[in-house]
Amino acid sequence: MPSATTKSHFKVIQKFGVDYSPSVLTQYESQRTGMRVVVVEQKGPKVLGFFALATEIHDDSGAPHTLEHLCFMGSKSYQFKGVLDKLATRAYSNTNAWTATDHTAYTLDTAGWRGFAQILPVYLEHVIVPTLTDAGCYTEVHHVDGTGQDAGVVYSEMQGVQNTQGELMELRSKRLLYPEGVGFRYETGGMMEQLRVLTADRIRQFHHAMYQPKNLCLVIVGEVEHDNLIEILDDFEGTIIEDIPKPDAPFKRPWTESKQTPPLEKSSVEIVEFPEEDESSGEIMISFLGPSCNNHVQSSALSVLLTYLAGSSASVLENTLVEKEQVASAVYYSTESRPDTVIQFTLSSVDAATISDVELRFFEVLRNVASEKLDMTYMTDCIRREKRQLKYHAEVSGTFFTDSIINDFLFGNRDGSTLRELESLRVFDELEAWTDPQWKQCLRKWMTDAPHITILGKPSAKLSKKLETEEKARVAAQKERLGEEGLEELGKKLAEAKAENDREIPKQILEQFEVPDTSSIHFIDTTTARSGAARKMGYLDNLIQKIIDRDDYDLPLFIHFEHVQTNFVHISLLMNTGAIPIPLRPLLSIYLENFFSTPILRNGKRIEFEQVIMDLEKDTVDYGIESGTSLGNPEMLRIRFLVEIEKYDTAIRWLRDLLWDGIFDLTRLKATTARLLSDIPEEKRSGNAMAYAAEVSIHASPSSIGRARGTLVKALYLKRVKRLLEKSPEVITSQLDDIRTALCQFCNFRVLVVANLEKLQNPVSTWKSFIAGLDLSKEVSPQDTRLSRLSDAGKNPGNLAYIIPLPTIDSSFALSVTKGPSSLEDPRVPAIMVAMSYLDAVEGPLWTAVRGTGLAYGTSFSRHVESGHILFDVYRSPDALKAFSASKKVVEDLASGVVAFDPLALEGAISSIVLGFANGQATIASAAQGSFIRQVIRGLPEDWNDVTLKKVRAVKSEEIRRVMQDVILPAFGAETSNLIVTCAPIMEESIMKGFEGMGFNPEVKPLTFFQDDYGLTAGQGDDSVDSADEDEDNDEDMEDDDDDDEEEEEEEEEEEEEEEEEEGSE
């Protein structure tokens, strides 16, 4: 360690605060190597690191992506796979990485500075001086196993995405936007055909060229000890200076000194087919080249303009194409910061038969906007809302500044001047002064008058079968070419590579790094107060409670307050759903989707939905309605508002207006139903999401709103609703009124308010108007729970197994469900927490057995106390059966004592739990919500976190072994678990036979098998209704049972999200 008088090589380039956040940014540069560092000072328990390298390549080999994996396989001083992650888990840390087109970033997520400082130099050595062995490249990137199948972690990952709709369209768009020799043209993740021939030497060559300190920027966010940081970095540079290219050697800065993107000369429209059995709907992707990301004014103007065009259902593109003409389910926009920023619009769920016409209509609407007078009042509202949102995210998000800093490193001026743009939001004041002609000029320059690239994504059942046939033929030819002897040799080669990779790490390496103390982990404090019915939970004696008491006036409404230091107010209304008749619960999909985008009556005057949305956007930072999953209860509904402190009463008035005075307008209901229906084919294209969708259908009863709102219910039910809206609309509007009446009862309401209660005016009495006129005689009803809404299969899992072939995927996913604790106060919970943390650890036993051998991208266990279930998940596997079997063997060996627990790994498991608790309190909002979940939803004492951590630290090996035997291992048993597998059709037969060999009795079923219409028949409401659609559904069932080639995918269902909530609540 250098003495106190040693001169540092790191010099401060600049240090500045930002006028919209308490954060302070300090930028350093090493005079020795050119390494850059930006520290963002931010209060909280977490320290976050993002180590970004500019990575430019001019082929589809995937070399940048492979390094994202290979750098974790060992380094110069730590030449053992898994050392970094085992050390990280001991230091309350988690590592990860991502590969973008223009950079690769390595992340370090730590609770407290001490752990971060301990692991930082080890991590950086893995990045700059990795081992990159032949064996590591063989197992991690690509290999052919002894059965002739292609495998490898990187290969499996790309196999799962290469032929998906999004990837195929994005790749073709890049090919048309950029010519040969421009790095943005290429697939940095790697194409399967190129990964199969990628060599270790090519990977090493790319690393040598790009992974130099002068091409590295460290972004560190949190409570950072600057002197300690600089000392660590000075020492680190001294250890690697002989291993890197000479710092003064010529170096061409990627992207800025490379061949630049030429302007687009002309527009192009191309059709790209993607594999899909359902050929009804496709997608449109439209791309433009915009201003330089270094042009702060133009970039900010573009962001506002895109919000104006497509930011909500009141904006012109959404309002015209989605709400009125219903030719797409949504119009999304995105930008990618580059020297020529990419502007991209996506029109989803477009009728495949009219997709070309819809593309023309998009540009017609856009040109109309440019030719007519703009709504400058709405434009001003967009500017101000964007400014409010930036202020909020700067306050609560640990990663708010990260993207901007990385983009500045990649493309900005080296003198730090472009980074300085983060100092203020004055640019929005400048934009408020822009006139109509200036905004139109911006629109014409970058969009209406600019050349563009359009990709029309069209589904193709033929392509699905073609890809399957070609892959079968390729693998068969590969096996024939290799022969038995060749396959045997490859099996041996793989075994040897695994043996080399899995050499045992000497214990002394791990033991030299002690588990840091927790004194540097500064958890965020919140203070609870209660009013109304919430007081029955217990008396609180604190300053904030006294503030609440002074304004209470015996208002009976259940309000839970959390006091934090914030400039905003978070309001959540949580509502029971038990009073809604079960047959009507699928209508909640429409009720929720329609809630904010429907006309309302205010003072007897009808206000159209466009004006409602514009007024909402003017008054709020954010708003939404969803299930209560994020607040710990997926069977309740949550309405949330985020507003500035002076808008507290305005938000409460909005709640009242929207709940009681919304109009169930027939035009709006038809538009909402059509939009929801058009999204379904796209929702069904993810193997992982469909496994979870089937899981909810199996384990939740019809009374569950998670099940009732799921894709597999919507797929059938909403067809019938659409018909009723045409033939007998009064049936649906009456049922929606019934839902509103059932929900809007005083006894259903629980309120959470998160704010600085020392500044909030009238925190309780402002709610008087909200409950005026309600029947206050009934006490608050007990919470609805998922546990009370389980099916028989959910109450007693076992003896069910389903294989669901999906032609839209090239890989497989597995999900097994068994019984688990239904309360966090179950005495087994601490041991289960340690057991799962031990099993799921990066470079832990499951990682080594599954991901480390290329059997899957990942596996994980999760606890779901709401349903009393333990879930085991195999994610994106070339063979889910093998991954499942290998995982079972790991758990069996640990549970039986055949394999002993590693004491150092157990310490790491406990440290990971500490990190999980810090994650639950990473921001003021999450800390406050966590307190509400523990006290109100879970009924836990306020000190549950502290008590549980003590219990976790006291867990013995025998207790872990016992819960593995009694609670976790049953997830692999045919009689004690229910199994769902989604897979490519080519895998169906082998996976079925394999699970039969494990004692399961799997049935092959199409997705339609899991659909449910909740008794709403095709002709209900009108006997004359043509039943063609009903026949079509029956035909699908029969057809799919015969050939098993059923559809598609779903975006995550609430049951999947529950896992995230669970960890956050701890």
Side-chain angles (χ1 to χ4, degrees):
M1 183 178 292
S3 68
T5 58
T6 300
K7 186 177 180 181
S8 173
H9 294 281
F10 283 84
K11 303 300 179 188
V12 175
I13 298 175
Q14 59 184 334
K15 179 178 181 178
F16 60 91
V18 295
D19 62 12
Y20 51 94
S21 163
S23 299
V24 175
L25 279 68
T26 308
Q27 187 177 29
Y28 298 92
E29 183 178 48
S30 169
Q31 307 300 298
R32 176 163 51 174
T33 68
M35 185 194 303
R36 293 213 155 194
V37 184
V38 179
V39 177
V40 182
E41 284 291 334
Q42 209 166 69
K43 297 291 185 184
K46 302 290 293 297
V47 180
L48 306 175
F50 303 86
F51 314 143
L53 298 116
T55 45
E56 182 177 0
I57 197 167
H58 295 166
D59 60 41
D60 300 317
S61 66
H65 184 197
T66 65
L67 286 170
E68 171 207 318
H69 293 257
L70 292 169
C71 283
F72 293 94
M73 302 286 283
S75 70
K76 178 181 73 169
S77 304
Y78 307 93
Q79 298 190 6
F80 296 88
K81 174 177 175 279
V83 169
L84 174 61
D85 285 302
K86 287 180 181 292
L87 293 176
T89 55
R90 291 172 60 77
Y92 315 120
S93 298
N94 183 44
T95 67
N96 211 330
W98 75 74
T99 303
T101 300
D102 48 27
H103 71 278
T104 304
Y106 296 83
T107 65
L108 180 58
D109 183 336
T110 307
W113 171 253
R114 293 284 172 244
F116 189 94
Q118 179 171 293
I119 201 67
L120 177 62
V122 181
Y123 200 162
L124 292 179
E125 186 183 280
H126 276 73
V127 173
I128 299 299
V129 200
T131 53
L132 300 184
T133 64
D134 287 345
C137 293
Y138 193 69
T139 60
E140 199 74 7
V141 179
H142 172 264
H143 58 265
V144 178
D145 64 20
T147 68
Q149 298 292 330
D150 296 86
V153 177
V154 175
Y155 186 84
S156 297
E157 181 181 349
M158 298 314 295
Q159 182 185 45
V161 300
Q162 181 165 313
N163 289 315
T164 60
Q165 169 188 315
E167 283 291 314
L168 290 168
M169 293 176 68
E170 181 70 29
L171 182 63
R172 187 57 192 153
S173 180
K174 290 195 290 189
R175 297 291 204 243
L176 294 172
L177 279 170
Y178 303 105
E180 293 279 357
V182 175
F184 297 119
R185 173 185 175 88
Y186 302 98
E187 175 50 77
T188 52
M191 303 292 285
M192 285 190 287
E193 51 272 24
Q194 294 212 29
L195 287 168
R196 289 196 287 264
V197 297
L198 180 61
T199 65
D201 283 340
R202 176 68 182 99
I203 296 169
R204 295 183 191 112
Q205 179 187 33
F206 183 78
H207 181 274
H208 181 80
M210 292 289 162
Y211 278 55
Q212 302 184 38
K214 68 178 69 173
N215 194 33
L216 172 66
C217 177
L218 312 184
V219 184
I220 304 174
V221 183
E223 297 184 27
V224 177
E225 296 179 15
H226 286 248
D227 290 344
N228 187 211
L229 170 65
I230 297 307
E231 182 180 307
I232 290 167
L233 294 178
D234 273 319
D235 287 349
F236 168 71
E237 285 193 331
T239 66
I240 54 99
I241 197 70
E242 299 299 324
D243 301 294
I244 60 173
K246 291 188 177 298
D248 58 357
F251 179 75
K252 187 170 78 170
R253 185 182 175 193
W255 306 115
T256 61
E257 297 175 10
S258 304
K259 178 180 177 180
Q260 295 301 294
T261 304
L264 277 176
E265 294 181 357
K266 62 178 182 178
S267 296
S268 297
V269 179
E270 286 202 8
I271 293 173
V272 169
E273 292 186 336
F274 58 90
E276 169 64 284
E277 294 294 296
D278 183 342
E279 296 184 331
S280 62
S281 69
E283 189 165 281
I284 301 173
M285 179 185 290
I286 301 167
S287 302
F288 306 87
L289 293 177
S292 167
C293 59
N294 292 329
N295 188 327
H296 191 47
V297 174
Q298 283 291 314
S299 296
S300 300
L302 180 63
S303 180
V304 172
L305 185 57
L306 290 169
T307 301
Y308 178 92
L309 292 171
S312 73
S313 52
S315 58
V316 61
L317 289 171
E318 274 270 331
N319 188 253
T320 304
L321 301 175
V322 178
E323 301 297 340
K324 292 179 178 174
E325 299 178 5
Q326 299 172 29
V327 295
S329 66
V331 179
Y332 302 106
Y333 67 84
S334 64
T335 59
E336 289 191 53
S337 295
R338 291 174 182 171
D340 300 276
T341 296
V342 177
I343 306 164
Q344 195 166 86
F345 289 95
T346 302
L347 283 69
S348 62
S349 303
V350 179
D351 186 342
T354 61
I355 197 166
S356 297
D357 295 335
V358 175
E359 191 260 355
L360 293 174
R361 178 61 178 145
F362 171 89
F363 282 100
E364 185 180 348
V365 175
L366 207 57
R367 284 191 293 270
N368 288 343
V369 175
S371 64
E372 299 171 0
K373 189 174 181 180
L374 300 176
D375 184 342
M376 293 303 295
T377 300
Y378 184 53
M379 186 71 78
T380 301
D381 289 344
C382 291
I383 294 168
R384 293 175 180 174
R385 190 161 198 258
E386 180 130 342
K387 188 175 179 180
R388 288 197 300 274
Q389 289 178 328
L390 288 171
K391 286 182 177 180
Y392 169 70
H393 290 300
E395 177 184 285
V396 302
S397 173
T399 59
F400 174 78
F401 295 100
T402 304
D403 285 347
S404 296
I405 294 169
I406 291 175
N407 287 330
D408 177 74
F409 168 68
L410 295 174
F411 310 118
N413 299 332
R414 299 296 281 179
D415 62 6
S417 58
T418 44
L419 184 65
R420 197 91 185 191
E421 299 285 4
L422 291 172
E423 194 170 16
S424 78
L425 300 177
R426 284 191 298 270
V427 67
F428 293 102
D429 299 329
E430 181 179 339
L431 292 178
E432 278 205 49
W434 273 28
T435 61
D436 179 284
Q438 285 175 290
W439 285 109
K440 285 181 182 174
Q441 181 186 20
C442 182
L443 174 59
R444 292 190 183 108
K445 181 175 183 179
W446 302 121
M447 284 176 259
T448 57
D449 295 348
H452 62 272
I453 301 297
T454 294
I455 304 298
L456 306 178
K458 299 188 76 171
S460 169
K462 287 182 179 178
L463 180 60
S464 176
K465 290 180 170 56
K466 178 174 179 282
L467 290 172
E468 179 184 345
T469 301
E470 288 179 350
E471 180 65 4
K472 280 182 177 177
R474 186 191 68 79
V475 173
Q478 181 167 269
K479 291 179 180 180
E480 185 177 350
R481 184 179 69 253
L482 291 167
E484 281 191 32
E485 189 174 324
L487 291 173
E488 188 176 335
E489 285 299 315
L490 287 176
K492 289 179 182 176
K493 183 178 179 181
L494 179 59
E496 289 169 1
K498 289 178 180 177
E500 181 179 337
N501 291 338
D502 296 336
R503 288 175 301 138
E504 187 174 356
I505 302 169
K507 280 191 166 39
Q508 57 267 31
I509 292 180
L510 302 177
E511 287 172 342
Q512 65 180 306
F513 291 84
E514 294 183 357
V515 176
D517 66 63
T518 56
S519 61
S520 69
I521 305 175
H522 302 146
F523 289 100
I524 295 172
D525 291 325
T526 72
T527 305
T528 300
R530 298 166 181 151
S531 74
R535 290 178 179 277
K536 295 180 180 178
M537 294 180 61
Y539 174 74
L540 297 171
D541 185 11
N542 60 60
L543 177 62
I544 302 304
Q545 184 64 58
K546 289 179 171 59
I547 293 172
I548 296 303
D549 290 346
R550 287 197 293 269
D551 187 50
D552 198 328
Y553 302 108
D554 294 324
L555 198 75
L557 183 64
F558 184 112
I559 311 179
H560 178 104
F561 294 94
E562 289 290 337
H563 169 69
V564 293
Q565 296 301 316
T566 176
N567 294 313
F568 300 90
V569 183
H570 304 249
I571 299 171
S572 292
L573 175 66
L574 207 58
M575 299 183 290
N576 278 340
T577 58
I580 302 172
I582 290 175
L584 302 189
R585 292 184 189 183
L587 270 180
L588 281 171
S589 295
I590 294 175
Y591 180 83
L592 269 60
E593 184 75 10
N594 198 60
F595 188 78
F596 290 105
S597 56
T598 195
I600 63 170
L601 279 177
R602 181 177 285 164
N603 300 323
K605 180 183 176 183
R606 177 179 169 120
I607 301 173
E608 295 303 329
F609 88 94
E610 292 94 342
Q611 191 61 50
V612 169
I613 290 170
M614 288 191 283
D615 289 347
L616 276 167
E617 291 179 346
K618 184 165 58 178
D619 288 337
T620 68
V621 178
D622 194 19
Y623 57 86
I625 182 169
E626 61 236 357
S627 82
T629 299
S630 57
L631 287 180
N633 191 322
E635 294 300 329
M636 299 178 78
L637 294 181
R638 178 192 185 189
I639 305 174
R640 54 180 174 78
F641 281 91
L642 174 63
V643 295
E644 293 169 300
I645 198 165
E646 62 271 17
K647 293 281 189 177
Y648 181 56
D649 61 335
T650 304
I652 295 171
R653 282 202 304 273
W654 272 116
L655 262 178
R656 175 88 195 192
D657 288 347
L658 291 161
L659 277 170
W660 281 279
D661 298 325
I663 299 169
F664 296 124
D665 178 80
L666 182 58
T667 301
R668 300 298 308 130
L669 293 175
K670 287 181 177 179
T672 297
T673 305
R675 184 167 62 250
L676 289 170
L677 271 171
S678 64
D679 275 338
I680 288 169
E682 187 173 344
E683 288 177 4
K684 290 181 176 179
R685 288 170 187 152
S686 159
N688 189 53
M690 283 300 94
Y692 275 95
E695 186 272 322
V696 175
S697 293
I698 293 165
H699 297 117
S701 73
S703 62
S704 165
I705 67 166
R707 184 182 189 277
R709 293 175 55 232
T711 296
L712 299 177
V713 169
K714 288 190 296 184
L716 208 53
Y717 187 89
L718 292 185
K719 287 181 183 178
R720 317 287 165 76
V721 170
K722 182 180 179 182
R723 183 170 296 126
L724 278 168
L725 285 171
E726 292 294 337
K727 302 294 183 179
S728 306
E730 69 283 354
V731 172
I732 300 301
T733 54
S734 174
Q735 290 176 342
L736 287 168
D737 263 323
D738 291 344
I739 288 176
R740 174 161 54 193
T741 301
L743 282 174
C744 296
Q745 301 179 43
F746 172 77
C747 58
N748 284 336
F749 296 155
R750 290 172 174 81
V751 174
L752 166 64
V753 176
V754 179
N756 184 334
L757 292 163
E758 293 173 328
K759 295 181 179 180
L760 185 65
Q761 298 294 312
N762 306 318
V764 181
S765 58
T766 306
W767 289 90
K768 281 183 179 179
S769 61
F770 178 74
I771 61 172
L774 296 184
D775 178 3
L776 309 181
S777 62
K778 294 181 181 178
E779 293 193 356
V780 177
S781 302
Q783 296 175 44
D784 301 314
T785 66
R786 176 63 59 84
L787 198 64
S788 67
R789 296 178 176 180
L790 294 177
S791 66
D792 290 341
K795 293 172 184 174
N796 295 290
N799 298 305
L800 290 178
Y802 297 104
I803 295 172
I804 308 169
L806 298 177
T808 53
I809 62 176
D810 291 328
S811 54
S812 59
F813 302 81
L815 185 62
S816 66
V817 180
T818 192
K819 268 195 169 182
S822 57
S823 166
L824 289 175
E825 293 188 291
D826 188 308
R828 301 172 295 172
V829 164
I832 293 172
M833 291 170 70
V834 177
M836 288 186 175
S837 182
Y838 186 91
L839 289 167
D840 285 344
V842 179
E843 293 297 343
L846 284 179
W847 177 289
T848 302
V850 179
R851 177 163 172 146
T853 58
L855 292 179
Y857 191 73
T859 61
S860 63
F861 283 97
S862 57
R863 284 176 298 103
H864 296 250
V865 294
E866 270 301 310
S867 57
H869 289 153
I870 299 288
L871 270 67
F872 175 69
D873 182 304
V874 175
Y875 182 78
R876 199 186 290 158
S877 169
D879 189 334
L881 167 71
K882 291 181 180 177
F884 189 89
S885 179
S887 302
K888 180 182 180 181
K889 179 73 163 57
V890 167
V891 178
E892 279 178 334
D893 288 349
L894 288 166
S896 65
V898 170
V899 174
F901 292 111
D902 180 345
L904 297 176
L906 282 174
E907 288 182 351
I910 293 169
S911 295
S912 294
I913 293 170
V914 174
L915 175 60
F917 277 67
N919 287 337
Q921 301 181 51
T923 68
I924 53 178
S926 62
Q929 288 190 10
S931 179
F932 174 82
I933 291 168
R934 283 192 300 276
Q935 296 180 65
V936 177
I937 303 300
R938 304 287 185 223
L940 300 170
E942 197 169 357
D943 63 351
W944 184 86
N945 278 0
D946 295 333
V947 171
T948 301
L949 271 179
K950 288 177 183 176
K951 291 179 179 178
V952 161
R953 294 185 188 280
V955 167
K956 306 297 183 187
S957 295
E958 311 86 72
E959 296 175 80
I960 303 172
R961 189 168 285 114
R962 192 179 310 124
V963 296
M964 281 193 179
Q965 185 70 49
D966 298 342
V967 181
I968 295 176
L969 191 56
F972 299 95
E975 296 183 355
T976 51
S977 72
N978 292 334
L979 175 71
I980 302 106
V981 178
T982 55
C983 65
I986 192 175
M987 303 176 178
E988 172 195 318
E989 186 177 347
S990 62
I991 288 178
M992 182 173 68
K993 288 180 179 177
F995 276 110
E996 284 175 343
M998 294 181 69
F1000 289 88
N1001 185 25
E1003 299 177 69
V1004 177
K1005 294 292 183 182
L1007 278 177
T1008 49
F1009 176 80
F1010 302 96
Q1011 293 182 173
D1012 188 354
D1013 61 12
Y1014 274 65
L1016 185 64
T1017 61
Q1020 187 169 323
D1022 189 334
D1023 292 336
S1024 65
V1025 169
D1026 182 1
S1027 62
D1029 200 44
E1030 175 74 5
D1031 293 338
E1032 174 189 311
D1033 289 319
N1034 290 334
D1035 289 344
E1036 283 178 8
D1037 285 342
M1038 292 187 294
E1039 201 173 64
D1040 290 317
D1041 282 334
D1042 287 339
D1043 60 33
D1044 299 320
D1045 274 347
E1046 176 48 49
E1047 310 143 296
E1048 309 125 297
E1049 154 311 23
E1050 175 184 334
E1051 296 300 318
E1052 280 187 22
E1053 196 47 45
E1054 281 160 315
E1055 183 74 4
E1056 187 175 12
E1057 294 169 2
E1058 192 178 337
E1059 176 185 349
E1060 298 174 8
E1061 164 270 314
E1062 196 73 72
E1063 295 303 319
S1065 72
E1066 291 168 8

